[in-house]
Amino acid sequence: MNLLAPLGLALGVLIPILILFYLLKVRRTEYEVSSTYLWQDLLRDLAAHEPWQKFHWSVLLALQLLLVAALVFAVARPFYVAQAEEVVHAVLVLDGGASMQATDAEPSRFEAAKRTAKETVRNLAEGSMGTVILAAAQPQVLAPSTADRGVLERAIDGAQVTFGATDVGQALALASSLGPGSAAADGARARLRVFLFTDGAFGAISGSEAEGLDVRLMQVGTSGQNQGITALAARADPLNVNQYQVFARVRNYGDAEYRGTLALTVDGTLTESREVVLPADGAEPASAEYVFSDLPVGARAVEARLNGADIYPVDNSAYTILNVGRRSEILLVSNGNVFLEKVLSLLPAGEVSRVQPRRYLAVDVDQYDVVIFDGYVPEVLPRGNILVVNPQESTVFPAEGEVRTPAVRGWERDDPLLRFVDLRDVAIARAFRLTPPGWMRPLIQSDAAPLMLAGERNGQRVVVMPFDLRQTNLPLLAAYPILMSNILGYLEPPTQATQRDLRPGDAVTLAPLAQAEEILVRQPGGQSQTLASEGRPIQFTSTLLPGLYTVFQRAAGQTLLEEPFAINASDERESDVRPRPVALGSGRTLEANAAPDLVPVNREIWMWLVPPALALLLIEWYWFHRKS
């Protein structure tokens, strides 16, 4: 045993001082009395001229001497040398990838990793600091550098596993940027040490930032017995565009033959199931593809489910949405235009309704996705998207007279509205000279006035053609159906079904109908989220759970549109949950679960002297009052 502060022993001078106090005589107060016969012994003591008295042992003196000796020894800071972990700045990196949801550790690899991380925090050397990082698609710092172990353990408890792939290399790069921690006991900066808690299913760590790091690999997981759906897709039948085919790929990653069932559920109803037999995984991937063709007409949402009891249930389900687009509701407001009616009947645009302008106000026009005004413009435009043909003079689109036989001088060939449209042979008898508002752009130009305008304001799309189709040869040209198809495609509201290959955490663009007041999104867990509609596209990011989501667009308490979209966690790489040796970019392989290196550490024992010192104080107090 040694002393860190041997000069503290100089306080041992208190021991003779304490004894000296016991040798001094007690100074007494004088009082006059009538007789001293009863105090003869006391008179002899007072008559003596020495200030000292004879030394007498007492229990109180012995207790006080022991107490002073204990305090002097504690001040000298006695210690012994032990083998323990050194003081470090520990960066704990938790792998939050989907493969950490495998259940070959109780209850899952991620929870087992959290337990190991908390145990590591408790075993850190006194004076160490810690930082907690969750490795996800982007690394997240859950707890900044701190010596408070309670903060570190609470951050670990709050960590959540994801359903996607992770980039452990980025997490290690973030760890390397932290640098050494606070000063150790000897004044040196504490070493930066990274504790990586992972299953190693990703194999190698990309990047060179981790090369110089002191990385301790704490690996979890022991099994790779998994079978999963690694791909699910749908396409229209080449022989019948109204019929869809669903394609599914199943793979066995285990070392034993797999027998199970692949079931297909369409819009919540079990439609078909297939027996699946896959050999053990070997040199060639043990996978098989299945095609389902007998889907019900009008089917939308498809779920494939693989039964079995493997260790990774995340990839036992996959989802897809059939691209059966909702047919738009189109209202044609016209006194009769054979060219418009003919082209609308030929194009697969949507359901077309017709009404004369004099009955327009009797129609609930906000229920329509697209409204086409021919020779008529109301004072107040509806909330849906609009095509205006041959607008009469109105306050909405003011005109400055007419232009006779305007010649087409140019058009925006690269604009989606005029793609594949050839206007060189178009002749127009007359057109209105419109004053375009600032939010509209001219697409077809003549010498005197624009001949076609388009624009978007507050989420509402508007296209204007300021001439009568019956006073032009445009309907007789091949460009006419192409132009009308482009215009209707621009005006029809987009659907969520067109968004494919969505992964957990991806942002989904919700396109509100112009007449929608709110959007409600029902999530796979049954929870719902309501968003206010302002006519602009909304980025929906609460997509962490895989499964089928449903979007309801509402107005006045009624559902205008109901559309699903799918989030999939199926991933060829994440489904392969077999733990692997973890190698750095240079090829250096990390040793898994290695015993920590021990270094000589001074262990002070002054705190062991506190309980006996307190006990001596209590005994002295008791003995003093007992004698009194």
Side-chain angles (χ1 to χ4, degrees):
M1 182 178 298
N2 294 306
L3 300 175
L4 287 177
L7 292 178
L9 294 178
L11 293 178
V13 70
L14 295 176
I15 295 177
I17 293 175
L18 179 63
I19 297 175
L20 183 63
F21 286 159
Y22 271 83
L23 294 177
L24 290 176
K25 284 186 175 178
V26 179
R27 178 172 295 177
R28 304 181 189 278
T29 306
E30 294 185 359
Y31 294 95
E32 289 188 3
V33 297
S34 57
S35 174
T36 60
Y37 179 77
L38 298 177
W39 294 284
Q40 293 301 317
D41 293 339
L42 184 60
L43 288 176
R44 283 195 296 272
D45 183 57
L46 290 173
H49 295 290
E50 294 81 4
W52 315 102
Q53 61 181 345
K54 187 178 179 181
F55 179 78
H56 298 284
W57 276 102
S58 71
V59 174
L60 288 177
L61 174 61
L63 292 173
Q64 291 169 2
L65 287 175
L66 288 174
L67 181 60
V68 171
L71 291 176
V72 170
F73 194 54
V75 171
R77 299 179 61 187
F79 71 94
Y80 68 94
V81 179
Q83 295 294 317
E85 294 190 48
E86 63 180 317
V87 176
V88 295
H89 179 192
V91 181
L92 298 99
V93 178
L94 283 168
D95 181 0
S99 64
M100 293 291 283
Q101 297 192 47
T103 57
D104 54 340
E106 186 63 33
S108 69
R109 292 179 181 178
F110 191 70
E111 294 300 323
K114 289 168 66 174
R115 286 198 303 270
T116 308
K118 292 169 66 175
E119 184 178 348
T120 301
V121 169
R122 298 188 194 105
N123 292 335
L124 288 176
E126 192 65 31
S128 296
M129 298 187 67
T131 301
V132 180
I133 295 175
L134 178 67
Q138 297 292 329
Q140 305 170 26
V141 177
L142 302 181
S145 299
T146 178
D148 190 335
R149 304 189 183 200
V151 172
L152 297 175
E153 292 196 25
R154 286 193 293 274
I156 295 170
D157 285 335
Q160 296 291 327
V161 69
T162 69
F163 286 88
T166 61
D167 191 338
V168 177
Q170 282 196 35
L172 295 182
L174 177 60
S176 67
S177 67
L178 298 177
S182 62
D186 58 358
R189 301 293 290 177
R191 177 201 296 269
L192 180 71
R193 178 169 295 166
V194 177
F195 294 87
L196 176 59
F197 304 89
T198 179
D199 56 4
F202 50 82
I205 299 174
S206 59
S208 59
E209 291 83 358
E211 293 298 333
L213 288 177
D214 178 7
V215 182
R216 302 297 173 92
L217 175 62
M218 315 298 284
Q219 197 161 19
V220 294
T222 57
S223 175
Q225 302 301 319
N226 179 47
Q227 300 82 37
I229 302 171
T230 58
L232 183 70
R235 68 169 186 176
D237 190 331
L239 303 179
N240 183 357
V241 295
N242 295 319
Q243 193 72 36
Y244 271 76
Q245 296 177 331
V246 173
F247 165 85
R249 179 187 296 125
V250 181
R251 182 171 175 181
N252 180 19
Y253 295 91
D255 55 7
E257 182 185 74
Y258 169 75
R259 290 180 177 272
T261 304
L262 177 64
L264 200 72
T265 301
V266 178
D267 294 332
T269 303
L270 178 63
T271 302
E272 189 175 354
S273 62
R274 302 277 183 84
E275 182 181 7
V276 177
V277 179
L278 294 173
D281 192 45
E284 295 295 328
S287 63
E289 291 78 29
Y290 301 87
V291 178
F292 298 85
S293 301
D294 298 329
L295 271 64
V297 176
R300 296 295 304 275
V302 176
E303 176 184 359
R305 183 176 294 275
L306 187 69
N307 70 348
D310 56 26
I311 64 170
Y312 185 59
V314 174
D315 62 357
N316 290 346
S317 298
Y319 314 87
T320 189
I321 301 298
L322 306 185
N323 191 21
V324 183
R326 165 184 173 270
R327 292 178 64 83
S328 301
E329 296 290 338
I330 300 174
L331 177 65
L332 172 61
V333 183
S334 172
N335 285 317
N337 189 323
V338 64
F339 297 118
L340 275 176
E341 295 175 5
K342 187 67 175 179
V343 76
L344 290 175
S345 65
L346 294 177
L347 295 176
E351 300 293 338
V352 181
S353 302
R354 298 171 180 82
V355 65
Q356 293 181 339
R358 61 186 178 85
R359 298 180 59 84
Y360 169 74
L361 296 179
V363 177
D364 185 5
V365 69
D366 287 337
Q367 299 298 321
Y368 292 90
D369 301 310
V370 180
V371 181
I372 301 175
F373 293 104
D374 176 41
Y376 167 75
V377 179
E379 293 299 321
V380 179
L381 295 178
R383 290 189 291 183
N385 295 334
I386 297 171
L387 168 62
V388 180
V389 180
N390 187 28
Q392 302 299 315
E393 292 187 4
S394 70
T395 57
V396 181
F397 300 105
E400 300 176 354
E402 295 181 350
V403 180
R404 296 286 180 178
T405 62
V408 176
R409 296 302 182 190
W411 66 91
E412 300 293 335
R413 300 172 186 269
D414 296 331
D415 193 282
L417 285 169
L418 297 177
R419 188 169 300 165
F420 309 121
V421 176
D422 187 350
L423 300 174
R424 287 175 295 181
D425 299 328
V426 173
I428 301 174
R430 65 184 184 90
F432 288 102
R433 191 196 305 270
L434 295 182
T435 302
W439 52 273
M440 299 193 78
R441 63 187 188 280
L443 298 179
I444 303 176
Q445 290 284 4
S446 69
D447 292 332
L451 298 178
M452 180 175 170
L453 303 104
E456 184 172 348
R457 182 179 62 176
N458 299 329
Q460 182 186 40
R461 293 180 173 181
V462 179
V463 177
V464 178
M465 300 171 66
F467 55 86
D468 191 339
L469 290 174
R470 292 164 296 193
Q471 298 180 2
T472 173
N473 66 344
L474 177 61
L476 306 178
L477 302 177
Y480 179 60
I482 302 175
L483 175 63
M484 292 303 295
S485 177
N486 291 345
I487 291 175
L488 292 177
Y490 172 73
L491 296 178
E492 287 181 330
T495 64
Q496 278 73 45
T498 58
Q499 302 182 59
R500 302 281 182 178
D501 300 325
L502 294 172
R503 311 290 304 171
D506 283 353
V508 177
T509 302
L510 305 179
L513 298 174
Q515 59 269 39
E517 297 174 353
E518 65 177 17
I519 293 180
L520 184 144
V521 182
R522 188 170 64 201
Q523 298 168 306
Q527 297 179 338
S528 298
Q529 186 174 348
T530 303
L531 309 168
S533 172
E534 298 179 352
R536 300 184 180 86
I538 300 172
Q539 293 294 312
F540 182 73
T541 57
S542 300
T543 57
L544 297 179
L545 292 177
L548 293 171
Y549 292 67
T550 307
V551 180
F552 300 89
Q553 302 205 29
R554 294 179 170 178
Q558 295 184 345
T559 300
L560 304 177
L561 179 62
E562 176 182 337
E563 284 189 304
F565 67 88
I567 300 292
N568 269 302
S570 299
D571 186 278
E572 190 88 21
R573 194 181 73 164
E574 290 295 323
S575 292
D576 189 359
V577 296
R578 289 172 287 197
R580 297 179 178 83
V582 178
L584 302 179
S586 63
R588 178 168 67 94
T589 301
L590 300 176
E591 184 181 359
N593 305 324
D597 296 333
L598 301 180
V599 297
V601 174
N602 296 337
R603 299 284 193 189
E604 294 191 51
I605 61 173
W606 63 266
M607 67 289 297
W608 297 354
L609 300 173
V610 173
L614 292 175
L616 288 173
L617 279 175
L618 288 174
I619 294 173
E620 183 193 15
W621 175 85
Y622 169 75
W623 192 264
F624 176 78
H625 286 280
R626 179 172 173 271
K627 287 192 66 178
S628 298

